[in-house]
Every structure is written in structure tokens, then in C-alpha cells.
Amino acid sequence: MDKKLITVTSPLLPDLHDFHKVLQEIWDSKWITNNGSFHKQLEKELAAYLKVPYISLFTNGTLPLITALQALRITGEVITTPYSFVATTHSLWWNGIKPVFVDIDPTTGNIDPDKIEAAITSKTTAIMPVHVYGKPCDTKRIEEIADKYGLKVIYDAAHAFGVEVDGESILNAGDMSTLSFHATKVYNSIEGGALVMHDERTKKRIDYLKNFGFAGETEVVAPGINSKMDEMRSAYGLLNLKQVDAAIEARHQVAIKYREALRPIEGITFMEDMPGVRHNYSYFPIFIDAEKYGMTRDELYFKMKAENVLSRRYFYPLISEFTTYRGLESAKPENLPNAHKMADSVICLPMHHELSEEDVTRILGTIIR
Ligand SMILES: *Cc1c(COP(=O)(O)O)cnc(C)c1O
């Protein structure tokens, strides 16, 4: 008999009866989208929960990236990381911007600030880093470089929901930060996302841009997109916000068990918590040294799969390896040795709020030999 399938993630779902109650309210009001009361309430509660001054909701986590670039009038070249989900670089493509890939720091997986300056040209207008796996970038160093060269900084913070450094939200770094509320993320609204900004003027402009550029009934100020979150997803998001802390704590407990069991295993390394950081345990990447472990990353990945444990090789292949981008000078593997090494050795273990003690033991049993 096949063992129960363990998936890499499992969506945080609100109680169905609670959701049914809010659906009834929406049905009664007949207001199903366009800045309704649940939409407004979710923006308010998310801003408070995330400790950010202003937030604008979107239908997914990709359109806020595209819209932030448009709002800040970013052109030419943008420095970014190849070690991410493709949407990061795709957002540049959608704005006609040339991505310039910079290698990552081998310990955090985030863009290496020491390598940014060498990639700046007269066409560079911004930096788009990613807080990979929710691990905070070196935001201070990035800000220093951006200020020195007059560049904007847009953080893809899709993995960094609720992450804080010394009690301050990581989402307040840079000019703007984006979030994804996709089903696979720590916090989800089925599909959804948001843009975090520092001031009301910017929020107003973003709210125009996500609504076709409408600034009132008859005035259109820019070629905006349609990315308004509807009332069903907003109401669902409000319910999930109440249970996200418990979900993060459940993930934390899984991370503790993984670390304890994997620490003595030769050829396997993982990331530790960083001092002063409130982590969200969105992913649990491990890195395989084939020689020491006695098995390659792919061998282990397929062995786990054969035992009905689904892990993921995030982020393999690198974005710079996809056909759209691999012709770029900065996409050459020689330019990105650390990123290639990480992409070739990583496995993200199953990580979600519903993993039982038994599941964790079974997952570890596929790795520990
Ligand atoms: C999930 C993700 C996105 C895209 O979010 P969607 O909501 O799926 O559009 C962007 N960047 C990163 C790093 C992601 O992980």
C-alpha cells in the first residue's frame, strides 16, 4: 500500500462556516468588488498586522511588481537576483526593462551587496532584490548603494510576510515592497498580493494604476492595469489573518525538529535563524553536498518522491537559465557561481502548518540513512 502523500505545502484555509457567514454578508450587500468594505477592512488590518503605514491590495503578487516599476517610472536597466521565482524578472520584462543579474551571498541566498556596484551602468535606475525564503536582505547596505548612485529600490518580499528585524517590518525597507498571497505562501487569499509604500500620495497613485489608471469617474491618468482584489478574497483574507500567527508557530516547530535531526547529518546544511529577526518559516531549504552525503541532490529528490514525500527544488533552474534571459551578458554562469551552486544543491522540504509529528518523522526518514 502506498504511503500517504506528503505535499511540500498546504494552504491555510479559513473555517468553512465562518467563510459562509461572510459570503452571506457579501450576497446581501451585492457589492462584490471595486473597493468594497471587506477590501477596505483587509487593507486596514494588514497594515496594522504588518506594521506598515500604507498598503494596496492586488489580485496576485506579480502585478504589484509590475505596477511598482511603472509608478516609479523605472527604465533602462535594473539590478536583480537570478535566485528567485520567475515573476521577479518577468516584471522587468513587462516594463521593457533590461534585467542585470548579480550573484548571491552563499549563506543567505540573497543578492550580494558587495557585487552590486560593479553592475551599475549609466542606464541603471533601480535595484530589485528578493528576501529569499523570507530571510531579510542586507537592506542597510543596499540603501547606501542606492543613495550613492541615486537608484530606487523595490523589494520582492513575496516570501517575507510578517518578517521583522529588531521589531521593525522588513517591508518598510526600500521605496516599495511587494507581497504575494498565493495559496502556496505563508498567508494566502487564494490568489492575491499587495504593495507596501511609505506615504499616502504613493498609495493614491498605486490605487489609480491598479484600476486602469482611473483617478475619478471620467479621468484616466496613466495606462493602468486591472488588479483589484474582490470582496470574496478580501473576506477570506480577513479570516486567515486571525490564524496566521498560529500557522507560523506551527511551522517554527517543524523547523526546530528538522534542524535537530539534520544537524548531525554529514553533507546536509541548512539555514539558521538570524539574531533579532522574527522569521516566518515560509520555506525549509536544505543543501546537499553530494560527495559528503553520498547521493546527489536529484537522487535524493526522486527518492523522496518515490516514497510519496514531495519536496521542491526551489530555485532550480535559475531565472538566468530560462530562454528569455539566458542570452544576456549578466546571465552567464561565470557571473553567477554562488547562485548556480545553491540552485544545484537545494531541496525545499515540506513545510506547512499541518505537518504532524508522524509526517516529520517520515520526511526525515527519507533523508537520514
Ligand atoms: C510567489 C512569488 C511571486 C508571485 O506571486 P503570485 O502571487 O504567484 O503572482 C513573486 N515573487 C516571488 C519571489 C514569489 O515567490
Side-chain angles (χ1 to χ4, degrees):
M1 199 183 75
D2 273 355
K3 289 184 195 151
K4 185 190 98 183
L5 186 71
I6 298 178
T7 50
V8 70
T9 184
S10 177
L12 183 63
L13 287 163
D15 179 84
L16 188 55
H17 294 288
D18 291 345
F19 190 47
H20 190 253
K21 268 187 246 162
V22 292
L23 285 179
Q24 188 64 57
E25 275 184 57
I26 296 168
W27 257 245
D28 292 342
S29 75
K30 298 188 196 294
W31 194 300
I32 60 175
T33 188
N34 284 13
N35 206 23
S37 61
F38 286 105
H39 181 284
K40 284 183 194 147
Q41 184 70 14
L42 182 57
E43 282 195 345
K44 212 171 114 193
E45 289 194 19
L46 273 176
Y49 176 86
L50 297 169
K51 302 185 189 168
V52 300
Y54 296 95
I55 189 164
S56 180
L57 298 177
F58 279 72
T59 49
N60 58 53
T62 302
L63 285 164
L65 286 165
I66 292 175
T67 304
L69 293 162
Q70 184 190 13
L72 294 171
R73 299 182 190 278
I74 305 299
T75 56
E77 296 176 3
V78 168
I79 290 170
T80 189
T81 169
Y83 197 77
S84 180
F85 182 62
V86 282
T88 312
T89 311
H90 281 357
S91 72
L92 301 172
W93 187 92
W94 280 98
N95 279 277
I97 294 162
K98 181 177 167 187
V100 175
F101 296 112
V102 162
D103 205 10
I104 58 171
D105 177 313
T107 56
T108 65
N110 291 328
I111 194 165
D112 183 348
D114 288 337
K115 298 194 174 133
I116 291 176
E117 283 193 79
I120 295 173
T121 74
S122 59
K123 296 200 182 87
T124 311
T125 54
I127 308 169
M128 183 178 272
V130 181
H131 304 293
V132 162
Y133 308 130
K135 292 269 182 297
C137 288
D138 190 344
T139 55
K140 249 200 206 110
R141 284 287 318 281
I142 292 170
E143 187 176 317
E144 276 166 19
I145 296 163
D147 288 351
K148 189 166 154 193
Y149 291 89
L151 306 175
K152 301 282 189 200
V153 183
I154 299 160
Y155 282 99
D156 180 341
H159 300 176
F161 185 91
V163 173
E164 295 175 11
V165 180
D166 299 327
E168 207 206 320
S169 172
I170 193 74
L171 302 170
N172 287 325
D175 291 277
M176 286 192 229
S177 291
T178 68
L179 288 165
S180 165
F181 306 151
H182 184 258
T184 54
K185 307 296 207 262
V186 169
Y187 169 82
N188 82 85
S189 61
I190 308 176
E191 293 269 359
L195 196 45
V196 169
M197 62 288 283
H198 305 302
D199 59 82
E200 198 171 354
R201 280 171 63 223
T202 309
K203 170 163 167 59
K204 208 168 183 180
R205 179 156 164 76
I206 295 299
D207 285 345
Y208 296 158
L209 292 176
K210 74 171 189 200
N211 186 29
F212 311 96
F214 273 108
E217 230 177 277
T218 53
E219 199 182 2
V220 170
V221 293
I225 197 90
N226 177 14
S227 190
K228 306 182 298 295
M229 188 184 280
D230 64 66
E231 287 293 275
M232 286 75 166
R233 287 188 181 84
S234 303
Y236 174 109
L238 278 164
L239 293 173
N240 259 356
L241 197 53
K242 293 190 181 66
Q243 44 173 6
V244 69
D245 279 337
I248 290 172
E249 185 45 33
R251 288 165 173 268
H252 184 191
Q253 293 309 315
V254 174
I256 289 172
K257 287 185 200 124
Y258 278 159
R259 284 179 183 147
E260 211 173 81
L262 295 176
R263 195 158 280 124
I265 307 300
E266 201 168 354
I268 290 189
T269 51
F270 49 82
M271 291 172 172
E272 300 283 359
D273 285 355
M274 293 157 75
V277 175
R278 186 218 182 205
H279 291 283
N280 65 7
Y281 307 97
S282 47
Y283 299 87
F284 196 89
I286 62 170
F287 306 96
I288 320 296
D289 179 330
E291 225 157 86
K292 287 193 192 142
Y293 180 64
M295 195 188 259
T296 67
R297 184 274 306 271
D298 286 350
E299 281 167 353
L300 176 58
Y301 170 76
F302 288 110
K303 175 175 176 263
M304 293 177 84
K305 204 167 173 176
E307 297 186 32
N308 257 354
V309 174
L310 301 187
S311 55
R312 291 302 289 269
R313 288 166 289 179
Y314 288 142
F315 288 97
Y316 165 85
L318 295 174
I319 304 175
S320 50
E321 291 296 295
F322 292 118
T323 49
T324 321
Y325 306 115
R326 69 181 176 206
L328 294 168
E329 187 64 26
S330 66
K332 294 216 162 94
E334 312 89 87
N335 185 43
L336 309 165
N338 294 335
H340 274 274
K341 194 165 172 225
M342 197 170 268
D344 289 342
S345 63
V346 69
I347 290 183
C348 284
L349 299 185
M351 176 50 97
H352 58 80
H353 62 291
E354 282 178 322
L355 285 173
S356 67
E357 192 97 37
E358 210 183 322
D359 293 336
V360 172
T361 306
R362 233 185 86 205
I363 295 160
L364 288 166
T366 64
I367 304 168
I368 302 167
R369 301 174 304 139

